Amino acid sequence: MDEAEIQRKRRDHEEESTRQRARLLGFPYLDTRSFEGEIPLVRDLLDIDRMHRDFIIPLQHGNNDDQHYQFMITAQTPRSLIDQIKRELETGGNRVDFFLISKSAYEVFMLRHDPPKETVYDDIKIASEGDSETIESVSETLNTVSTEKVFDFLLDQADKLGASDIHIENLRDTIRIRMRVDGILHPVANISRDRYRIFMGELSSRANVSTAANTPQSGHMQKDIYRDGSSHLLNIRVETIPTMYGQDAVLRLFNFDESLLNLNLLGLTDEELTQINEVISHPRGLVLMVGPTGSGKSTTLYSILNALNNTERKIITLEDPIEYGITGISQIPIDTTKGQNFADGLRSVLRLDPDVVMVGEIRDGDTAKTAIQASITGHLVLSSFHANSTSAAFSRMIDLIGTNPIFSSSIRLVIAQRLVRQLSDSKQAYTPDEATVKYIERVIDGISDEVLARHGVQRGNYTLYKPVPTGEADPFGYKGRTVIMEQLNVTDEIQKYIRGDIEDVNTDAIEKTAKGLGMLTLEQKGVLAALRGDTTLEEIARVI
């Protein structure tokens, strides 16, 4: 999905939310997209300061022939101001109407009424390997951006590049800035220590972290990003740690866009979607997401929550911290650094009679047992768990709580996933060598020809692809990332391991049984994705 399509979906979602808000507030809703750049502006009715302060814009000015005044307002416009304007203008028989518009629409009109007068800086570019000129150019830009704008500029540029992290690192003579794009860390700039002090000062005030602390700290902040007539909320998790030359900081960026938290947008196969939908359609049970940090677990869990989110269900989440805010869901922050824990939080929220509960992470036996108990007493429980694969998740859970018959009856589905870089359209096909063919055949051994065909692969006829960089817009030959997902559906055969019916409980034994029941492992899914041309074997080896 390209940037324009993402922006369109964001705006569609915002307009629909505004339409619903208008119904609640009792104002007619107005979708301005068809005339935002064309309708003449009414400039002599309200001053610019009031329009900024009270979120109100005149749409039509009364005249001698038609004493009809129209104003565009937002949900933030004071009701007292609306009443005051009505009283003042309706005196003498004038007609006054107010229309509720979205925040993005308001911002577009205000940019026309009061266009910003500011310096335009060059966009940050990601340098290819060995490209010191680009790094020097970006460094110069960051060192010249005005003091009050440099931090916001960096965040805006990181969001524009689709970065998931910004790393601010103290070296002996300079400060290095790197960004993680599509799962890979790229050097971006080397900046002066004056800029570093500005960054840390902003982090201190916005994320509530101390610049003088000699211990690791965690913080959180948010920023509205405005681009191409639309806006979205960027959630930023901040982690700092003291090093030899100063405090290093990592900013994890979560691009909150509720409309994109959708299972259909994750690139899953029909088979994977069907299996997830079948499990979550039941009113009880436990679903676990496993994988390392940065593997997309949270996005998948939130997408499942969004699929379940309707007026008939009570959904509660316990999170450390809350990464996305979702309309219609009760989300509770759990600050484990201040003595709170998921187990106590879960026991408390179960008294609120939820239908669905998401526990941010199962970290200990108490939380695991509480989640299991909740899942057999009429609740659907979703959670993440640190393990390398679905089979390893069972071994780790058994180590945590022992063989447990209740766990065997509660667990419904375990999903392991990774994110791999996706090849861009410039990719080049090639025929693999003999050693690679042997590796491919070893990995896909045991997969039926029918299943291979569903994945677009023919046994014995193998084509792989390599990235072809095409320039500044595509410096690496990859564009975006795609999900590689392993799903272990818990059947009677798998339950035997959990109940203790089988003494040899280890990852290999569980995986062998699951593969015999039709499960495709992460490695198998990855190789099939490479054979389809979605990614490369090198990328699969790096990630999986």
Side-chain angles (χ1 to χ4, degrees), residues 389-396 504-513:
S389 66
T390 56
S391 305
F394 285 106
S395 298
R396 279 209 63 221
D504 183 20
V505 179
N506 61 68
T507 299
D508 291 338
I510 296 172
E511 184 174 286
K512 183 177 180 181
T513 300

Side-chain angles (χ1 to χ4, degrees), residues 434-535:
E434 184 179 347
T436 304
V437 169
K438 286 183 178 178
Y439 165 72
I440 291 170
E441 291 185 336
R442 177 177 63 79
V443 172
I444 67 174
D445 182 43
I447 303 177
S448 69
D449 290 345
E450 180 185 354
V451 172
L452 289 178
R454 285 207 300 270
H455 286 268
V457 175
Q458 182 181 353
R459 196 183 304 276
N461 182 19
Y462 308 124
T463 300
L464 293 173
Y465 299 82
K466 59 184 177 182
V468 179
T470 57
E472 187 178 294
D474 183 15
F476 304 103
Y478 293 96
K479 192 169 183 64
R481 290 191 287 178
T482 187
V483 172
I484 303 295
M485 183 175 285
E486 171 183 302
Q487 294 179 328
L488 199 165
N489 203 20
V490 182
T491 62
D492 290 339
E493 293 298 314
I494 300 297
Q495 286 180 347
K496 291 178 182 178
Y497 290 96
I498 309 171
R499 288 195 301 263
D501 297 350
I502 298 175
E503 292 185 5
D504 183 20
V505 179
N506 61 68
T507 299
D508 291 338
I510 296 172
E511 184 174 286
K512 183 177 180 181
T513 300
K515 288 170 69 175
L517 296 169
M519 184 191 81
L520 299 182
T521 66
L522 283 168
E523 186 178 24
Q524 289 175 328
K525 286 284 191 70
V527 168
L528 292 176
L531 291 170
R532 287 195 306 270
D534 294 342
T535 188

Side-chain angles (χ1 to χ4, degrees), residues 67-80:
Q67 296 298 318
H68 185 190
Y69 294 84
Q70 295 177 330
F71 295 89
M72 296 181 290
I73 59 173
T74 75
Q76 295 171 276
T77 306
R79 192 63 185 245
S80 58

Side-chain angles (χ1 to χ4, degrees), residues 138-246:
V138 175
S139 302
E140 185 177 344
T141 297
L142 282 176
N143 280 321
T144 55
V145 175
S146 60
T147 300
E148 68 275 9
K149 295 179 181 177
V150 62
F151 189 75
D152 284 328
F153 175 75
L154 185 67
L155 291 176
D156 181 78
Q157 290 291 301
D159 177 77
K160 191 171 186 178
L161 288 167
S164 60
D165 308 87
I166 303 173
H167 294 244
I168 303 173
E169 302 162 321
N170 286 267
L171 306 181
R172 186 173 65 181
D173 299 319
T174 188
I175 307 299
R176 179 174 65 178
I177 294 181
R178 294 191 289 173
M179 293 185 185
R180 192 180 298 278
V181 179
D182 292 339
I184 302 292
L185 263 179
H186 298 282
V188 169
N190 297 308
I191 62 170
S192 68
R193 292 196 173 272
D194 288 342
R195 302 277 101 173
Y196 166 74
R197 284 192 285 271
I198 295 168
F199 289 146
M200 296 309 295
E202 289 290 339
L203 284 180
S204 174
S205 61
R206 297 194 198 187
N208 195 29
V209 296
S210 170
T211 57
N214 56 8
T215 56
Q217 300 173 90
S218 296
H220 177 261
M221 54 187 285
Q222 294 181 326
K223 175 176 170 53
D224 285 311
I225 300 290
Y226 306 104
R227 187 172 294 117
D228 301 328
S230 183
S231 67
H232 61 274
L233 183 65
L234 195 64
N235 273 304
I236 304 152
R237 187 193 301 177
V238 178
E239 304 289 342
T240 67
I241 190 166
T243 68
M244 180 184 296
Y245 299 112

Side-chain angles (χ1 to χ4, degrees), residues 265-443:
L265 299 178
L266 297 182
L268 307 184
T269 65
D270 291 342
E271 193 174 11
E272 289 166 341
L273 274 174
T274 299
Q275 194 169 44
I276 291 174
N277 286 325
E278 193 278 327
V279 168
I280 66 175
S281 65
H282 286 73
R284 68 172 186 84
L286 178 63
V287 176
L288 289 180
M289 282 290 310
V290 304
T293 300
S295 60
K297 300 189 302 294
S298 294
T299 300
T300 300
L301 281 172
Y302 278 111
S303 297
I304 292 174
L305 287 177
N306 236 2
L308 293 166
N309 190 11
N310 60 35
T311 56
E312 298 172 2
R313 290 189 180 96
K314 173 78 170 181
I315 301 177
I316 299 178
T317 71
L318 302 166
E319 305 174 58
D320 177 23
I322 296 172
E323 293 175 1
Y324 301 98
I326 302 180
T327 305
I329 292 178
S330 300
Q331 296 174 262
I332 301 171
I334 300 293
D335 190 347
T336 54
T337 64
K338 296 182 179 178
Q340 296 179 302
N341 62 70
F342 284 113
D344 289 343
L346 181 55
R347 280 189 282 266
S348 297
V349 302
L350 290 178
R351 302 187 191 109
L352 304 178
D353 190 29
D355 299 290
V356 182
V357 180
M358 187 189 87
V359 181
E361 186 180 346
I362 291 178
R363 300 174 181 172
D364 54 69
D366 192 14
T367 304
K369 291 174 182 176
T370 308
I372 291 165
Q373 189 65 36
S375 67
I376 63 170
T377 56
H379 308 88
L380 178 62
V381 181
L382 312 173
S383 188
S384 67
F385 187 60
H386 273 287
N388 287 328
S389 66
T390 56
S391 305
F394 285 106
S395 298
R396 279 209 63 221
M397 188 64 79
I398 290 169
D399 290 341
L400 202 61
I401 63 173
T403 53
N404 190 317
I406 300 177
F407 178 46
S408 70
S409 62
S410 68
I411 184 71
R412 300 288 310 284
L413 177 67
V414 183
I415 301 171
Q417 73 175 49
R418 302 288 191 276
L419 293 173
V420 297
R421 288 186 293 173
Q422 192 162 6
L423 284 165
S424 53
D425 293 338
S426 61
K427 63 189 176 186
Q428 182 179 330
Y430 70 94
T431 302
D433 59 28
E434 184 179 347
T436 304
V437 169
K438 286 183 178 178
Y439 165 72
I440 291 170
E441 291 185 336
R442 177 177 63 79
V443 172

